[in-house]
Amino acid sequence: MQNVHTHAWAQALHFNLATVHEADLSRGHPLDLTVQYDAFMADMAPFDRVIVFGLKGLLTGYWVPDAYIADFVARAPGKLVGFASCDPTGPSYMDELTHSIEDLGLRGLKLGPIYAGFDPRDPRCAPVYDYCESRGLPIITHTGTTYNRAAPLGVSRPWLWDEVAIQHPELRIVLAHLGHPFYDECLAVIRKHPHVYSDLSALFYRPWQFYNMLIAAQEYGVTRKLLFGTDYPFAGTQESIDGFRSINGIIGSSGLPRVTNETIDGILSRDSLALLGVSR
Ligand SMILES: [Zn+2]
């Protein structure tokens, strides 16, 4: 089993105070999102391979240096795959990215348009996409909402990635979180483009929405484009798997359509890293 969406960071080093406060408000109590290596690895025990990244967004105050991720994944190189992060609104982002890939050995890229405040179609992104496409580096991007009030929802819409995929047909892209709550847009984009996928991370705790997402994915015939992920530390592995496997519990004996075992087992057993071109 593989997990395409986890984070590593140290809250005190990598988040600004306003962003820490936003996280506290979202849960209603103070939160320490710092990822400890041992706890992380214990949570990841069910997975053979795990993609790990930080996040960069000057606008909202997330800044995890790529060297931190490279050091983190170097502790379990057979299992962990580190991705760089990039904020194309900042200075020298291409120099940082090429250094992270070519010198630090990171294998893909995490983008957070809503955290950095850029439109995925922004011309500043073009060299990033060209670089990743030419080198076979997948991009996983946040799509959909977040709790941070400084983060502009407009640039989180999944449909904005349609134009990127049209212009970069070989680029592997993962639209994270099924674009919640804009999952219909997300499904429309992944259906069109052979190399655009989505992940199921951090969705199980809204079971009615999650159920409807999965039924819509079945109706559009795109469940083969859905990858499993957890969004650690925001959600743990066992609760994510349990929430996914028991998703039909919400419909009881109502007669509503079921998320099929084929859908569930297919997603949990998917060789997502191969689809994204991340070789062993
Ligand atoms: Zn995430």
Side-chain angles (χ1 to χ4, degrees):
M1 197 161 48
Q2 300 176 352
N3 183 347
V4 301
H5 192 139
T6 71
H7 294 277
W9 48 40
Q11 180 164 295
L13 297 176
H14 302 145
F15 299 177
N16 77 16
L17 282 175
T19 283
V20 170
H21 184 58
E22 293 295 311
D24 293 349
L25 283 178
S26 78
R27 298 287 172 116
H29 55 85
L31 211 57
D32 187 354
L33 291 168
T34 297
V35 172
Q36 306 289 354
Y37 177 79
D38 291 340
F40 177 90
M41 291 303 282
D43 189 77
M44 296 304 145
F47 299 108
D48 307 310
R49 304 277 281 168
V50 177
I51 295 176
V52 187
F53 36 77
L55 182 61
K56 288 180 185 168
L58 290 168
L59 176 70
T60 52
Y62 292 98
W63 199 267
V64 185
D66 293 337
Y68 187 86
I69 299 301
D71 289 345
F72 191 92
V73 300
R75 299 178 71 176
K79 176 161 178 161
L80 306 182
V81 178
F83 276 25
S85 298
C86 176
D87 180 348
T89 72
S92 53
Y93 57 93
M94 281 308 298
D95 290 344
E96 260 175 54
L97 177 59
T98 55
H99 171 68
S100 298
I101 300 298
E102 292 165 36
D103 302 325
L104 300 179
L106 298 179
R107 316 277 295 277
L109 177 63
K110 162 72 171 175
L111 291 175
I114 192 170
Y115 298 109
F118 67 89
D119 188 309
R121 303 166 301 176
D122 189 308
R124 290 174 292 185
C125 297
V128 176
Y129 302 146
D130 289 341
Y131 180 77
C132 289
E133 187 177 33
S134 67
R135 289 183 163 254
L137 301 165
I139 292 178
I140 181 164
T141 178
H142 183 96
T143 54
T145 189
T146 182
Y147 50 76
N148 194 310
R149 82 187 83 173
L153 268 175
V155 298
S156 81
R157 304 299 294 254
W159 70 265
L160 299 172
W161 288 90
D162 181 43
E163 197 172 308
V164 178
I166 289 170
Q167 289 170 1
H168 301 275
E170 292 305 316
L171 186 58
R172 270 63 176 167
I173 303 171
V174 181
L175 307 177
H177 317 301
L178 256 166
H180 80 111
F182 314 118
Y183 64 90
D184 43 3
E185 286 178 22
C186 184
L187 294 171
V189 177
I190 67 175
R191 183 172 76 140
K192 285 183 65 182
H193 299 290
H195 300 310
V196 183
Y197 300 88
S198 186
D199 80 42
L200 302 188
S201 62
L203 298 176
F204 76 89
Y205 42 74
R206 297 183 192 94
W208 177 243
Q209 185 184 62
F210 192 28
Y211 163 79
N212 280 278
M213 290 170 159
L214 293 164
I215 294 297
Q218 286 183 173
E219 291 178 344
Y220 275 106
V222 294
T223 58
R224 71 187 188 287
K225 307 293 288 294
L226 303 181
L227 314 180
F228 193 72
T230 61
D231 207 15
Y232 187 94
F234 298 104
T237 294
Q238 204 53 55
E239 59 182 351
S240 297
I241 294 171
D242 293 348
F244 182 36
R245 281 209 177 276
S246 63
I247 191 63
N248 291 309
I250 198 166
I251 59 171
S253 54
S254 64
L256 286 167
R258 297 178 69 80
V259 179
T260 67
N261 289 338
E262 189 188 352
T263 294
I264 294 171
D265 293 340
I267 290 169
L268 288 173
S269 64
R270 186 143 294 141
D271 189 353
S272 301
L273 273 69
L275 294 173
L276 298 180
V278 180
S279 57
R280 279 175 185 268

